[in-house]
Amino acid sequence: MIRPDFNLQEAPRIVDDLRYEELVAMIEAIGDPDIDEDLGFYYIELIELNLPGAEVSDLIFWPQEWFQDKAMREVDMEADEIANYILSWTGKHLPGAEAVELPKIPESKQAKRR
């Protein structure tokens, strides 16, 4: 569930107590084709602000770009998988997140990080 105090009338902000479930819910909302475009952009900005370097829109809409791997164009990831890649990539942990073993992020993506 996404907390109701995330308000489009205000700029996205740092959320000190952001939870894993909220991240997953925002990712689900962003990927929903029926979401209000402004709300989707708000959630993207909120995630990027709280998890810098996540490149969340690339990971959701253009995973082949995020992974630097054309084969990823054909892969459909669930919101929790996307959330786990974001957390792994940014080195962050959110309350409620489980420790998971993810496939290795390709070297081409790692080189971009440096």
Side-chain angles (χ1 to χ4, degrees):
M1 180 173 146
I2 302 171
R3 62 182 80 190
D5 64 331
F6 291 163
N7 183 346
L8 280 175
Q9 306 309 316
E10 300 172 2
R13 59 184 168 76
I14 297 289
V15 181
D16 293 326
D17 61 344
L18 185 66
R19 298 196 47 80
Y20 176 76
E21 296 81 18
E22 291 174 307
L23 175 62
V24 171
M26 286 188 283
I27 292 168
E28 287 173 343
I30 293 165
D32 182 345
D34 296 326
I35 190 174
D36 175 77
E37 191 173 292
D38 290 337
L39 184 57
F41 285 127
Y42 178 86
Y43 289 152
I44 289 170
E45 289 180 34
L46 186 78
I47 293 169
E48 287 289 342
L49 182 64
N50 284 277
L51 301 166
E55 299 175 350
V56 67
S57 62
D58 281 356
L59 187 53
I60 293 171
F61 298 113
W62 304 284
Q64 71 276 11
E65 297 297 325
W66 195 92
F67 283 98
Q68 303 292 303
D69 181 351
K70 291 179 184 176
M72 291 303 293
R73 180 179 304 139
E74 306 302 321
V75 175
D76 287 325
M77 290 188 290
E78 298 293 325
D80 62 325
E81 293 173 301
I82 293 169
N84 286 319
Y85 272 112
I86 289 170
L87 294 175
S88 175
W89 181 247
T90 61
K92 304 287 184 179
H93 178 78
L94 295 178
E98 297 178 11
V100 295
E101 186 71 30
L102 295 170
K104 185 178 177 190
I105 296 173
E107 289 298 320
S108 57
K109 179 71 175 172
Q110 294 289 346
K112 183 178 173 187
R113 185 179 198 183
R114 294 180 193 137

